[in-house]
Structures are given as C-alpha cells and as structure tokens.
Amino acid sequence: MVPIKKYLLKCLHRLQKGPGYTYKELLVWYCDNTNTHGPKRIICEGPKKKAMWFVLTLLFTSLVCWQWGVFIKTYLSWEVSVSLSVGFKAMDFPAVTICNTSPFQYSKVKHLLKDLDELMEAVLERILGPELSHFNATRALNLTIWNHMPLVFINEQNPHHPVVLELFEDNYNGSASNSSTPGKTCSAHHGCKVAMRLCSHNGTTCTFRNFSSATQAVTEWYTLQATNIFAQVPNQELVAMGYPAERLILACLFGAEPCNYRNFTPIFHPDYGNCYIFNWGMTEKALPSANPGAEFGLKLILDMGQEDYMPFLTSTAGARLMLHEQRSYPFIKEEGIYAMSGMETSIGVLVDKLERKGEPYSQCTMNGSDVPIQNLYSSDYNTTYSIQACIRSCFQDHMIRNCSCGHYLYPLPRGQKYCNNQEFPDWALCYSALRMSLAQRETCIDMCKESCNDTQYKMTISMAVWPSEASEDWIFHVLSQERDQSTNITLSRKGIVKLNIYFQEFNYRTIGESAANNIVWLLSNLGGQFGFWMGGSVLCLIEFGEIVIDFVWITIIRLVALAKSLRRKRAQARYDGPPPTVAELVEAHTNFGFQPDVATRGPSAGPHSHEPTPPIPGTPPPNYDSLRLQPLDVIESDSEGDAV
C-alpha cells in the first residue's frame, strides 16, 4: 500500500505542476528533435522553403496514410493461397456403399401399387393414342389418387392461347370443360404436351408443371404418387420389401480375406431402398489397405434381380455405388456412380484431402456445431457433418414450416409426419413451389457451411463384359448352386454385376489453404512505405505518440486550472456585503485589555444589522514553511516536481 500511495502522490503533484510547455512550444520542440525527415526543415528554413517543406511533408504524409489504408484493407480481406502437396503412406480403405437401382421388389409392393399401376397404364394408352391403345375402357379406375395430381394435355398450336385438355374425360377429344376447340383430338403425336396440374385442396390455386417430353411427365407424376403411398408405410415394412443382403451380395473378397453380407452395414435409402455399406467404421475400426493394386482391394459379385424390378418407378438397371469417408452419410443419389449389369467394373481410387482455413478466412466448420440447422442425418444415423446433410436438413425444415409435413426423401424430426394426400392434401403444390423457389435454396446455402477438412476419392473407371461367353455357363452354375442350392441356373447376365475397387497408388494429394497476407507481410509493407516516403521508423511513431500524450497532458492541466478558477469565483460570490476596510480590520485586531470578543450586537448595530457578517479572525501566527512539519514523501514529491 505504501508504494502505491507514494506513486499516486507523485502523479498528483505532476498533475498540479505540469510539464510547463504551451502547445506552440511542444510543436516546435517536436519538429526540432524528431527523426522523421521534413518537420525539421519546416522550422529551420526561410519562409518560402518552410512553405515548400510543409506542403511536401503534408503530401507525403497523406500518401503514406493512403498506402497504409490499402494494405490494411487487403490484410482484413482475409485472402488465402492454395498449395498442393503430395504424400505417400498406407491409408484406410474407404467406406463403400452399394445399392440396387430398384428400391423394392415388385412382387412385394405390387399390392400397394395396384391402383397406381392401372392408372399409369391408362395414362400411357391415352398418350400413345387410340390406334395403339389396348386398354379396356370399361375397367374401373381409382380416380381418388388421380384427382390430387392429374396429368393434362396442353395444346400449344396457338402459343398465345394454349388449350388445356383432360386425359380422363369421356369427351376429352375436344369437349373438355376448359377447351375452346371442341371436336379436335389431342395426343403426344398431335403436337400436345403433357403437363401435371397441381391444385390446392379447395381448388382456388392451381399451377401447371410443363415437361418437354411425356416420358419425363409420367415419370415425375408416378414418383410423386408413389411417394404419397410409401410415406404411409412403416419403415420396417419398407425394409422387408427391399432386396435383402444375402440375395444382393453373392461373393465378397477383401485383399486375401473372404467376406460376406454380414460384413456390410444395412441402411435404408428412400431412393434406392436397402443399401449396404462396407467398412463404415461405426462399430469397428476402419480396415487398412495393405498395398495398392487390384489384388489388394475389394472384389464383389452382385445380383440385381432385374426380373423383379418395378416397371414404372425404376427405368435404370444395375448397381449404384459410392466411395466415401468412414462415419459419413452416403448421398448416393447425388455423388454415386452406376455399374452396369453383365459387366465387370474396375475402379481405381486416388485420394485428395482438402484442408480449408477457418474463421475469418472462410465460413467453414469443423463439426457443424456452429451451423444454425439441425443435422437430421446426424440425429438418425450418428454420422458426421457434411454440407449435403445440412442443405437437405434445411429443405426439410422449410418443408415442415411451409407445408406442415416432411418429405419422404429426407429424415423426419421427432413429432412430425410425412406428407400424404389424406392428411395433407395440398402437400404436392407446396412441395413443387418450395422445390422451385430460388429464395429457399439461397437461404439454405447461406446458412450451411462447408466442412473445413474433407476427403474426396477420385475414381478411374474401366469396364469389360463379364462373364465371357466361354465361361458363362460354369460361373452361373456355381453361383446358382451357392445361393439357391439348385443345379439349375437361376442367374442371368441381365442381373450380374462384378466390382473391383482398389487404390491405384498410395500417393495422396493434400490441397491446403494458407493465409495469403499474414501479420509479417502487413508490418513489412507498412514499415517500407513509411521509410520510403518519410524516412521514418517505429521510433518516429513513438515520438509522435509522445507528443500527442503531451498535448493531452497540457489540455488536462488547463482544464483543471479552469475548474479551480471557476471554484474560486463561486466562493467569492457567496459574500453579499462589501469587504471590510483596513481601518475596520485594524480595529478588530486591537484589544488592549485582552478582553474576549462579544458575539452579539445591540439594536443600533448599523445599517447591516440584519445581514450576517463574516467572522474576523484574531491575529494569525507567522506562516513560515520552515516551521511546518510535513511528511517525507510529500517533500520528495515537491522536489521532483520542481526538477521537472
């Protein structure tokens, strides 16, 4: 406490006495003693040179400030530079997800799609025209699901006045309710386009989705109708209607180790049904690859079971596969590749690792915890964050908020329901509008962030016919015996897929970001500009800071002096009467009889009897500083202040 008190007393005395300079004296002293070129010449030269050096100093000071602003702005833009490095090491084998392009076995879902398939056949007959139609017109159609999302013909022979014609009206050939050209037939080969009409439940709002081809129109229509049906089926039943792993995976070999369908983790994908993931790393450690090359990779033989494909929902035959990191969700529809039936597909893999700089250089995230979107895939599957998961979770969130239900293709939050025609009759119109909304996409893209660390697998794909005609018989016999315990061939070239997945080499590329402009770059450029234009350094900036502090100090002292002056004036203003004269003061101090002063006056006290008179002190003692005892620290403070 004693050193602190001593320091405060020193500061108080320094504040009272001050450095003793005026503004002009400080400015002259700075110009005469600074190490910066220019200010010295302003006070040392004649009037004309003073003006010239003043202008030059001001000009170069402005130039330095402008350059500093440019460099600071460039530094605060947080630009990055990208570097590419190549490394070599043994790596973990990627997770491999395989799916059948048909999500369900048609024999198991046929009862659910019976009415929809009959409608589809009728629609195709209407589109193909009466001359190719073999449809029984007397067959009763279930138009309940049709009325929610009907298909219509749009006659665009007159582009300014297109005519909408119904498909399933008895007089559709020309006398539709909204047709202005009765008696005229309309079909795909008559120049009419097929469109989908989406209306609200009360019919007040309708919109048409146009397509350039009838194939696209009926496929989109069938997919939406099937989505409505499958959304009402429990997930366990959907899994049971898909392709089981023991029928899909006929043979498996990883390096020199045999494997089977039990080494795959099942997962249900709304687009592809039952999918199976090898080396996902959820419950076990990721498998390493011993060496690069096809003999050290993963070899699979798959049976797609094309004879049991769904005729209208699936138009592609083969396998869908994807390579991805462990513990990440496979967005196989967006990032996967196809493998053709009756072919051997070899996939050579190269690894690219992406390392992005975080804040403030980019808006990437390490684990998604700072993203304001609930990751539905992480909640349902315990997978890591990815921007694909975030964008789809964001869309599902918008779907629930705008349409009051969730779409079948995305995970569902707790307490919500999937969209269907019975409970949410307006869902198709709402979904179509939200799907085409540019504002919705931009909102989700702005809210979602890329992952700071990512691994991408670059694939080199080659294919050959498998099995060959010479070996086809014995290969199919062996595989049929192993799967079905049958001496007859139960497999065909239409459904067999062979896959070879391996590392081409153990070289991997790392694409990393680094700061393009760091603090060293900034200080170097600031110092270079200051030294080049004004011959200054960091010490010159310290000198300038010192003079600024002195200016502030003098200003504070002047303000304190002004406050004392105002306080003194207020103290003098408290006495209303005139000050006592010298004669009155002498008389007051004269007391020959050494009698005590009388505090009261009589009634004839004078004109100021009712006014308070200031007390007149007695004779004061001599005021000598040499006789006064002061603390030692105060004396030291005064002496130091005088030295300053």
Side-chain angles (χ1 to χ4, degrees):
M1 290 298 295
V2 175
I4 297 177
K5 183 178 179 181
K6 182 178 179 180
Y7 176 76
L8 293 176
L9 287 174
K10 288 182 179 180
C11 293
L12 178 61
H13 282 271
R14 188 173 293 275
L15 179 63
Q16 291 174 347
K17 297 187 177 183
Y21 299 116
T22 63
Y23 292 124
K24 182 178 179 180
E25 290 174 343
L26 280 177
L27 187 59
V28 171
W29 177 89
Y30 172 75
C31 294
D32 192 33
N33 292 277
T34 182
N35 292 317
T36 307
H37 302 311
K40 290 183 179 181
R41 308 298 295 271
I42 295 176
I43 64 172
C44 296
E45 302 292 345
K48 293 182 179 180
K49 287 190 175 182
K50 280 185 179 181
M52 181 189 70
W53 280 104
F54 178 78
V55 173
L56 290 176
T57 303
L58 186 62
L59 174 63
F60 291 144
T61 302
S62 303
L63 186 60
V64 168
C65 293
W66 172 68
Q67 289 288 335
W68 281 6
V70 171
F71 286 122
I72 293 175
K73 182 179 179 181
T74 303
Y75 175 75
L76 294 179
S77 63
W78 310 116
E79 296 178 353
V80 297
S81 59
V82 180
S83 60
L84 176 64
S85 60
V86 179
F88 179 85
K89 69 174 182 178
M91 291 178 288
D92 291 336
F93 198 78
V96 180
T97 299
I98 57 173
C99 307
N100 200 326
T101 53
S102 178
F104 305 106
Q105 301 177 77
Y106 187 58
S107 59
K108 295 186 177 181
V109 298
K110 193 173 182 178
H111 66 285
L112 296 175
L113 303 176
K114 179 178 180 296
D115 294 338
L116 181 59
D117 288 346
E118 291 179 354
L119 276 174
M120 186 66 169
E121 293 174 358
V123 167
L124 293 176
E125 291 178 357
R126 293 288 193 179
I127 292 174
L128 294 175
E131 62 274 14
L132 298 178
S133 177
H134 301 286
F135 174 69
N136 184 3
T138 61
R139 183 188 303 178
L141 298 176
N142 184 1
L143 297 179
T144 303
I145 57 176
W146 170 263
N147 293 330
H148 282 92
M149 290 175 283
L151 291 173
V152 296
F153 280 127
I154 297 182
N155 190 340
E156 295 182 343
Q157 293 181 355
N158 184 356
H160 301 288
H161 299 284
V163 179
V164 179
L165 302 172
E166 301 289 342
L167 264 73
F168 288 145
E169 286 195 7
D170 294 337
N171 54 354
Y172 91 102
N173 284 335
S175 58
S177 59
N178 52 355
S179 174
S180 60
T181 58
K184 185 175 181 180
T185 60
C186 188
S187 61
H189 63 276
H190 286 141
C192 291
K193 300 294 184 182
V194 180
M196 188 190 311
R197 182 171 61 199
L198 301 173
C199 296
S200 60
H201 182 56
N202 53 16
T204 57
T205 304
C206 287
T207 183
F208 292 90
R209 284 197 60 190
N210 298 322
F211 300 90
S212 59
S213 171
T215 302
Q216 297 173 337
V218 296
T219 301
E220 184 73 14
W221 173 80
Y222 191 93
T223 301
L224 282 177
Q225 296 285 15
T227 297
N228 161 62
I229 295 173
F230 293 135
Q232 304 176 61
V233 180
N235 190 72
Q236 295 80 2
E237 296 184 20
L238 294 176
V239 172
M241 292 185 292
Y243 286 85
E246 55 270 22
R247 291 194 60 85
L248 180 68
I249 303 171
L250 299 180
C252 175
L253 185 67
F254 180 68
E257 297 293 330
C259 51
N260 54 40
Y261 68 90
R262 295 184 181 88
N263 299 109
F264 290 75
T265 303
I267 184 175
F268 182 80
H269 194 285
D271 286 298
Y272 297 103
N274 293 336
C275 295
Y276 302 96
I277 307 177
F278 178 79
N279 195 32
W280 201 9
M282 282 293 186
T283 57
E284 68 282 346
K285 187 178 180 181
L287 298 175
S289 180
N291 282 300
E295 62 272 21
F296 299 100
L298 177 66
K299 301 179 180 65
L300 295 172
I301 299 177
L302 310 175
D303 178 23
M304 298 294 102
Q306 191 176 157
E307 65 279 356
D308 205 12
Y309 268 31
M310 303 171 67
F312 301 123
L313 187 62
T314 304
S315 58
T316 305
R320 186 77 170 171
L321 66 132
M322 177 184 171
L323 309 182
H324 54 96
E325 288 186 276
Q326 278 73 28
R327 300 183 61 85
S328 65
Y329 184 85
F331 293 95
I332 195 167
K333 184 178 181 181
E334 295 78 16
E335 303 176 9
I337 61 172
Y338 284 112
M340 295 175 56
S341 298
M343 307 289 288
E344 178 177 350
T345 303
S346 295
I347 303 174
V349 181
L350 293 175
V351 180
D352 284 347
K353 296 184 178 181
L354 305 180
E355 298 176 355
R356 299 182 179 90
K357 293 279 288 182
E359 295 283 353
Y361 295 94
S362 67
Q363 297 296 323
C364 70
T365 178
M366 294 300 297
N367 53 15
S369 58
D370 54 343
V371 177
I373 296 294
Q374 180 188 0
N375 188 352
L376 301 178
Y377 293 88
S378 177
S379 303
D380 289 6
Y381 303 100
N382 194 27
T383 53
T384 57
Y385 173 87
S386 68
I387 191 170
Q388 293 278 11
C390 179
I391 290 177
R392 279 152 184 76
S393 299
C394 180
F395 180 86
Q396 185 75 307
D397 179 68
H398 282 78
M399 187 78 185
I400 293 173
R401 285 194 282 132
N402 290 275
C403 307
S404 303
C405 59
H407 197 275
Y408 166 73
L409 297 180
Y410 309 105
L412 194 66
R414 291 184 178 179
Q416 303 296 331
K417 293 184 178 180
Y418 280 125
C419 297
N420 59 79
N421 295 339
Q422 284 69 31
E423 297 182 81
F424 309 96
D426 298 340
W427 79 269
L429 177 63
C430 179
Y431 166 69
S432 179
L434 194 63
R435 181 183 177 186
M436 301 176 65
S437 172
L438 179 62
Q440 182 273 327
R441 292 196 295 270
E442 290 180 346
T443 300
C444 289
I445 291 175
D446 291 340
M447 296 178 68
C448 293
K449 299 179 180 181
E450 289 185 309
S451 179
C452 291
N453 298 316
D454 193 12
T455 301
Q456 297 180 353
Y457 298 97
K458 305 296 183 182
M459 294 175 285
T460 302
I461 303 172
S462 59
M463 291 179 290
V465 176
W466 187 88
S468 64
E469 292 183 0
S471 58
E472 177 180 356
D473 185 68
W474 73 265
I475 289 178
F476 285 159
H477 265 101
V478 172
L479 292 176
S480 299
Q481 171 68 26
E482 290 176 345
R483 191 187 69 173
D484 301 322
Q485 289 79 41
S486 173
T487 57
N488 298 323
I489 296 178
T490 59
L491 301 173
S492 68
R493 183 180 296 275
K494 296 186 301 182
I496 290 296
V497 175
K498 185 177 182 181
L499 297 174
N500 296 324
I501 305 171
Y502 56 91
F503 281 120
Q504 283 183 305
E505 54 188 24
F506 275 172
N507 289 337
Y508 66 93
R509 298 187 305 175
T510 300
I511 303 173
E513 293 181 348
S514 59
N517 307 312
N518 53 25
I519 191 64
V520 176
W521 173 90
L522 178 64
L523 294 178
S524 299
N525 283 279
L526 295 182
Q529 293 296 320
F530 189 40
F532 178 75
W533 294 109
M534 299 189 67
S537 63
V538 177
L539 294 178
C540 297
L541 296 178
I542 296 176
E543 290 176 355
F544 183 76
E546 180 186 13
I547 199 66
V548 170
I549 294 175
D550 288 341
F551 267 87
V552 173
W553 196 256
I554 292 178
T555 303
I556 293 175
I557 291 175
R558 292 196 172 189
L559 291 176
V560 171
L562 179 62
K564 289 182 178 180
S565 174
L566 293 176
R567 196 181 308 118
R568 192 179 302 114
K569 289 181 179 179
R570 289 197 205 98
Q572 293 177 355
R574 286 185 303 194
Y575 299 99
D576 298 333
T581 62
V582 176
E584 292 175 343
L585 290 176
V586 171
E587 183 179 358
H589 285 79
T590 304
N591 189 0
F592 297 102
F594 298 100
Q595 298 296 325
D597 296 336
V598 181
T600 59
R601 294 192 178 187
S604 60
H608 303 286
S609 59
H610 299 286
E611 299 179 0
T613 58
I616 300 175
T619 302
N623 186 12
Y624 298 123
D625 289 340
S626 59
L627 299 179
R628 181 180 301 171
L629 297 179
Q630 295 183 353
L632 181 59
D633 52 357
V634 176
I635 298 175
E636 292 177 355
S637 300
D638 289 340
S639 61
E640 292 179 1
D642 295 337
V644 174

